[in-house]
Amino acid sequence: ELPVYGVEGWTADGRSVLLNHQFDVWQVPLAAGGKAVNLTRGVGDSAQIRFSLVRTDRPTGPRGGGDSQRDRGIDMRSPLTFAAYGEWTKESGYWMREPNGRLRPIIYEDAMIGSLAKAERDDRVVFTRQTFEEFPDVWTAPRIESMETGVRVTDANPQIDAFAWGTRVLVDYTNSKGQRLQGTLALPANYEPGKQYPMLVYFYEKVSNRHHQFSMPVYDDRPHFSAYASDGYLVFMPDIVYEEGKPGSSALDCVTAGVHKVIELGYADADHIGIQGHSWGGYESSFIITQTDMFKAAVIGAPPANLMSMYSQLYKNTGTANAGIFEVGQVRMGAEKNPWTAHELYESQSPVAHVRGIETPFLILHGTDDGAVDWLQGVELYNAARRFGKQVIMLSYPGENHHLAKKENTKDFQTRMKQFFDHYLKDAPAPRWMTDGVPHLIKGTEAALP
């Protein structure tokens, strides 16, 4: 069964409930024979805008959230405010519905506008506005209706003006099944039209909704898009849709279709493209390189590499078995489909079963105390690839969970990942740790540093 899109809440008179559809918001009466009303007048469905109700009337509790104990319901006699997000344009902002049914945008721009909050004893509101290049500063307006002429009241990150940051563009494409997809492409700082650049491809599931998200450079275990764009890389983030029972094949289809489109548009140097994914993205990237040689380097974080063995392992962070995740959760193999009833299907979607097809040099990151994807999954992929003479390096971080937490480890990984990609995608000399390895006895010492 498909999940519901959500319930916005009860009306103050207790006679109806507000429900989300995919795009629009409906008022549905409880009495038999009552007629449902599309509060957003079908604009959501026709313009592919996702609307959701914003409750600025609710009293806030000590942690800033709405206090449901004092919530008296949605007053349909007052204007309603809806957060709005353009599915394909990536525009966002807020719309208002008057009690007479009139619907209009208050502020709706080619940016990520959010975090709307109203003063408890005044009409003044605050909100944030951000883009890939613009830090999410706080803006204010005298009232909701005047948000479009609001003023910025913070300048929390002025130092970014000193950096070459890059810009983003949207890329539309279709997969082999003709399904419409989208990706967000970061162009290098000082981009020159007509020039082909090395490209890093990062993905998870659907990530194009981050098109306008400010790229904050921090240390963790994934690439930072502004940092790579500042250094002459394209960074492409394509969307993935899934066919039940074929998670790896679906990722392969959607990612390669998006990459081919970026090449066709003249942005990317087809001979210098790399991929990076972590966790579920680590599974997808490890499967992809077993099926195609279009990528010249891959960095794979915490990969579920063997669907057959991982099915029976534990998700230690929660103490639960993995079976549900595999059948009806993120892996999407299908209800009642397991390694015993659908062995060939599980094997077909397991990267370790296809390591002989790998032609791409790759780097594996895995924490030894990973409580989501057991460290042995990374070990399985590494040993299988080594058995068949593939170019693979494993960075194993003792004591780390699913995501790196220790600052020294995040800095170490970010440095090594950048050196790895620079070598294969920008023809930089290989550092010694890549050519000679790091003997166990000097791990953790200065001699082992990049």
Side-chain angles (χ1 to χ4, degrees):
E1 295 182 0
L2 295 175
V4 297
Y5 285 105
V7 178
E8 296 287 13
W10 301 96
T11 56
D13 61 12
R15 296 179 180 178
S16 56
V17 62
L18 269 59
L19 302 176
N20 295 101
H21 198 257
Q22 183 176 7
F23 295 105
D24 289 299
V25 179
W26 290 74
Q27 181 182 359
V28 180
L30 301 181
K35 184 178 180 181
V37 177
N38 189 330
L39 297 177
T40 46
R41 305 177 66 88
V43 172
D45 189 57
S46 62
Q48 302 281 280
I49 298 174
R50 294 185 183 273
F51 287 109
S52 59
L53 184 68
V54 177
R55 297 289 305 277
T56 59
D57 61 312
R58 296 179 69 177
T60 55
R63 296 183 182 177
D67 185 349
S68 60
Q69 299 300 316
R70 296 156 58 196
D71 183 8
R72 303 193 180 199
I74 302 165
D75 184 2
M76 301 302 293
R77 298 169 301 177
S78 300
L80 300 180
T81 303
F82 295 98
Y85 167 73
E87 184 74 9
W88 301 104
T89 66
K90 310 310 176 190
E91 294 175 304
S92 68
Y94 295 92
W95 291 50
M96 179 170 285
R97 184 186 191 274
E98 304 290 353
N100 63 9
R102 181 191 177 205
L103 181 73
R104 62 184 175 88
I106 304 167
I107 180 172
Y108 192 63
E109 299 179 0
D110 195 22
M112 184 181 288
I113 298 171
S115 303
L116 175 63
K118 178 182 171 296
E120 190 167 351
R121 296 184 178 88
D122 191 73
D123 290 334
R124 183 164 292 277
V125 294
V126 294
F127 58 98
T128 60
R129 184 187 191 281
Q130 64 180 301
T131 67
F132 179 70
E133 309 159 68
E134 179 184 337
F135 187 80
D137 277 305
V138 176
W139 293 62
T140 187
R143 61 188 63 84
I144 290 176
E145 294 89 336
S146 60
M147 287 175 65
E148 190 171 22
T149 57
V151 295
R152 191 178 71 173
V153 295
T154 64
D155 188 13
N157 206 353
Q159 65 268 26
I160 66 172
D161 292 338
F163 294 90
W165 210 258
T167 57
R168 271 184 175 157
V169 296
L170 286 170
V171 176
D172 293 286
Y173 63 101
T174 57
N175 62 10
S176 66
K177 296 176 174 58
Q179 293 170 300
R180 182 183 179 185
L181 296 169
Q182 210 168 37
T184 177
L185 177 67
L187 304 180
N190 304 314
Y191 168 74
E192 299 176 24
K195 179 179 177 180
Q196 283 77 52
Y197 291 84
M199 183 167 74
L200 178 61
V201 185
Y202 172 84
F203 42 85
Y204 192 78
E205 291 192 1
K206 190 168 186 178
V207 288
S208 68
N209 57 358
R210 294 163 63 178
H211 178 66
H212 284 308
Q213 187 177 63
F214 179 75
S215 179
M216 176 70 75
V218 294
Y219 285 115
D220 63 8
D221 45 35
R222 282 151 291 186
H224 298 103
F225 315 120
S226 55
Y228 279 82
S230 293
D231 194 36
Y233 282 89
L234 297 164
V235 183
F236 183 48
M237 296 167 60
D239 286 340
I240 299 169
V241 292
Y242 297 91
E243 179 182 353
E244 184 178 287
K246 297 183 178 180
S249 300
S250 298
L252 172 70
D253 182 19
C254 296
V255 171
T256 55
V259 171
H260 281 304
K261 186 64 177 182
V262 176
I263 295 171
E264 176 190 322
L265 292 172
Y267 290 111
D269 176 353
D271 293 325
H272 293 87
I273 299 176
I275 58 173
Q276 201 278 341
H278 189 94
S279 189
W280 184 240
Y283 160 74
E284 294 169 325
S285 53
S286 57
F287 183 88
I288 287 171
I289 64 171
T290 69
Q291 305 297 309
T292 178
D293 63 357
M294 75 181 300
F295 300 106
K296 305 309 174 186
V299 174
I300 297 166
N306 187 339
L307 302 189
M308 294 170 287
S309 63
M310 189 174 168
Y311 179 97
S312 298
Q313 292 172 344
L314 296 177
Y315 199 99
K316 297 176 185 176
N317 287 340
T318 60
T320 55
N322 284 333
I325 299 173
F326 275 71
E327 293 190 25
V328 295
Q330 186 175 41
V331 184
R332 304 171 173 87
M333 296 305 286
E336 305 303 323
K337 291 182 180 177
N338 56 60
W340 298 274
T341 62
H343 179 82
E344 290 184 2
L345 184 63
Y346 270 72
E347 185 174 12
S348 73
Q349 299 299 303
S350 293
V352 293
H354 308 290
V355 291
R356 286 176 290 180
I358 296 176
E359 299 295 336
T360 303
F362 67 109
L363 178 71
I364 302 172
L365 150 73
H366 220 135
T368 63
D369 289 357
D370 193 327
V373 179
D374 196 285
W375 175 68
L376 291 176
Q377 288 290 308
V379 173
E380 278 195 56
L381 181 60
Y382 175 78
N383 283 337
R386 290 278 293 180
R387 170 62 181 80
F388 292 101
K390 306 304 178 181
Q391 291 180 266
V392 57
I393 297 171
M394 185 166 184
L395 302 181
S396 183
Y397 290 92
E400 290 281 21
N401 203 312
H402 193 52
H403 293 289
L404 300 179
K406 298 175 184 177
K407 186 175 182 179
E408 62 271 22
N409 287 341
T410 60
K411 293 178 72 173
D412 179 86
F413 174 68
Q414 286 292 328
T415 302
R416 295 184 195 274
M417 176 169 60
K418 185 64 164 56
Q419 291 177 337
F420 187 82
F421 281 132
D422 281 351
H423 173 63
Y424 287 107
L425 306 185
K426 297 181 76 175
D427 300 322
R432 191 175 59 192
W433 65 269
M434 282 180 58
T435 57
D436 300 344
V438 179
H440 177 72
L441 293 178
I442 68 168
K443 283 185 69 175
T445 69
E446 284 197 18
L449 295 176

